[in-house]
Amino acid sequence: MKVLVTGAAGFIGFHTVTKLMELNHQVVGLDNLNDYYTVDLKYDRLEYLGIDSALAEKFNHISESSIYSTNFKFVRMNIEDRDALPNLFNKQKFDVVCNLAAQAGVRYSIENPEAYVDSNIVGFLNILECCRHYNVNHLVYASSSSVYGQNRSVPFKTSDSVDHPISLYAATKKSNELMAHTYSHLFNLRTTGLRFFTVYGPWGRPDMALFLFTEAIVNGKPIKVFNNGDMQRDFTYIDDIVEGVVRIIEDRAEHEEVRKTPYKIYNIGNSKPVHLLEFIDALEDSLGIKAIKHMLPMQPGDVSRTWASVENLSKDYGYHPSTPVRKGVEKFVEWHKSYCKN
């Protein structure tokens, strides 16, 4: 199978590519390598996949992996580029597209809204158009738990109303779901949206809580604990996330009718919310250092609790997350210590 993974130098994209390589698929990874967070980490992820940094810097240039040879190629490209992206689709003939490229971050969407419209709306439309015109069998794309806003009914179900986003990031992700539904209806394009819940693990994003907390604790600095710690998150380990994503890419549906349904939305999470202070406690134990906690009020656009119902994904694809938070945090700390030595 030939798969395009956008956002391939990102956290989830990098792990998805790695898993697809283990399963001997042909993969083209795409990323614009923006500087929302340090590009060094993105280049390091690509180096791990056998892509030379000097070649990866060039826009619209396809580089071959020194590890996976022709089975993995990388191209630096903006998904909103209406000339380059169709040209890539025309030449490569993808079977499946996994769109993980997006401008991420709830709080940053308040500061830089234009970046979210460019990547998450214009870019996603370009992906849809390319899938439509170049005979892609299946588009799998990233949505977000943020679409649930301040939903008070738990666990969050895909049948719940998501008509009241409280951040622009959430609004763009809800827009993606509506756009995908339209293309599925009008053009019979098969689309599957995945509402990711808080993902963590090795090679994680440095703007996410676990990375920020770890960096602060090891450097003897205070950590910012919002809402005075009265928060719950459905922390989900990266390996569990990728297992679900790849099951859908490979179309390992439990029932034939799932494959015949042109439009699906799933939650993908751990389905076991953890209190923020418990999460911090697990990190303190793994590091062997106590955190200095700076208690702060809730941030604009943030929510106090997330909790995924993954019943539908379990029923349709046999998805069963299995990594306890303490084990996942330990694995992150092991990676962080090793990475920071290099």
Side-chain angles (χ1 to χ4, degrees):
M1 183 186 297
K2 192 167 191 179
V3 184
L4 171 66
V5 178
T6 70
F11 175 35
I12 300 174
F14 160 75
H15 283 279
T16 300
V17 169
T18 302
K19 185 66 175 179
L20 289 170
M21 288 295 91
E22 290 175 6
L23 296 169
N24 295 315
H25 293 291
Q26 282 188 291
V27 179
V28 174
L30 178 154
D31 204 292
N32 68 357
L33 298 171
N34 69 35
D35 60 358
Y36 168 63
Y37 60 80
T38 173
V39 293
D40 290 343
L41 179 58
K42 297 178 182 183
Y43 282 118
D44 288 344
R45 292 175 183 142
L46 291 175
E47 288 275 7
Y48 186 90
L49 293 168
I51 300 296
D52 182 78
S53 296
L55 295 176
E57 286 181 348
K58 302 176 183 179
F59 271 98
N60 306 332
H61 172 80
I62 295 179
S63 306
E64 289 187 0
S65 170
S66 61
I67 298 172
Y68 300 107
S69 188
T70 57
N71 273 4
F72 179 59
K73 300 175 183 178
F74 175 79
V75 58
R76 185 180 187 186
M77 185 179 291
N78 289 307
I79 59 172
E80 60 265 36
D81 189 327
R82 289 185 177 145
D83 294 320
L85 194 70
N87 187 49
L88 180 71
F89 272 71
N90 184 43
K91 288 182 177 178
Q92 296 295 327
K93 314 296 183 189
F94 302 114
D95 299 304
V96 177
V97 172
C98 181
N99 183 52
L100 301 173
Q103 180 56 61
V106 169
R107 293 165 193 149
Y108 187 63
S109 68
I110 297 171
E111 302 168 19
N112 192 6
E114 293 85 0
Y116 289 77
V117 173
D118 291 343
S119 180
N120 301 6
I121 303 295
V122 176
F124 189 68
L125 175 63
N126 206 18
I127 290 285
L128 286 167
E129 278 288 283
C130 288
C131 289
R132 168 194 172 193
H133 289 293
Y134 295 100
N135 301 313
V136 171
N137 298 325
H138 191 184
L139 168 62
V140 182
Y141 65 95
S143 184
S144 168
S145 62
S146 67
V147 300
Y148 289 105
Q150 293 178 325
N151 183 31
R152 300 186 186 282
S153 175
V154 291
F156 298 171
K157 297 180 179 179
T158 54
S159 57
D160 293 342
S161 172
V162 289
D163 294 335
H164 303 284
I166 61 171
S167 70
L168 182 64
Y169 172 67
T172 64
K173 287 303 185 179
K174 172 60 178 173
S175 299
N176 287 173
E177 295 178 1
L178 294 171
M179 293 161 72
H181 182 273
T182 302
Y183 273 68
S184 293
H185 173 74
L186 290 175
F187 309 115
N188 202 36
L189 171 63
R190 187 178 173 201
T191 66
T192 301
L194 296 171
R195 292 175 178 171
F196 290 104
F197 284 67
T198 311
V199 188
Y200 73 100
W203 295 97
R205 279 170 37 198
D207 63 315
M208 296 292 283
L210 182 56
F211 209 119
L212 289 170
F213 288 169
T214 302
E215 290 279 295
I217 292 170
V218 298
N219 288 296
K221 297 179 180 179
I223 63 173
K224 295 178 180 180
V225 183
F226 294 109
N227 205 35
N228 296 306
D230 186 18
M231 301 177 77
Q232 289 179 288
R233 287 289 180 270
D234 200 338
F235 292 105
T236 313
Y237 189 64
I238 184 63
D239 288 1
D240 291 328
I241 287 286
V242 170
E243 176 64 24
V245 173
V246 171
R247 281 173 181 263
I248 294 168
I249 290 173
E250 291 192 323
D251 213 4
R252 287 187 255 156
E254 302 279 314
H255 312 285
E256 182 62 30
E257 59 265 28
V258 175
R259 300 184 185 92
K260 295 178 180 178
T261 304
Y263 175 82
K264 297 288 284 187
I265 292 285
Y266 295 103
N267 288 332
I268 183 164
N270 197 39
S271 200
K272 293 177 182 176
V274 174
H275 283 90
L276 180 57
L277 294 178
E278 182 182 338
F279 188 72
I280 293 169
D281 182 66
L283 178 57
E284 290 174 326
D285 287 348
S286 292
L287 290 170
I289 309 170
K290 281 292 181 183
I292 305 166
K293 302 181 185 70
H294 184 198
M295 298 299 188
L296 294 167
M298 182 73 85
Q299 292 288 283
D302 218 340
V303 297
S304 60
R305 175 170 58 177
T306 63
W307 180 358
S309 168
V310 296
E311 180 181 354
N312 291 338
L313 191 56
S314 297
K315 176 170 62 74
D316 289 353
Y317 284 94
Y319 172 73
H320 298 289
S322 60
T323 309
V325 162
R326 285 191 171 271
K327 185 64 177 176
V329 168
E330 285 177 10
K331 290 183 177 181
F332 172 82
V333 169
E334 288 173 7
W335 168 80
H336 185 270
K337 288 178 179 177
S338 174
Y339 181 75
C340 289
K341 286 180 182 177
N342 297 332

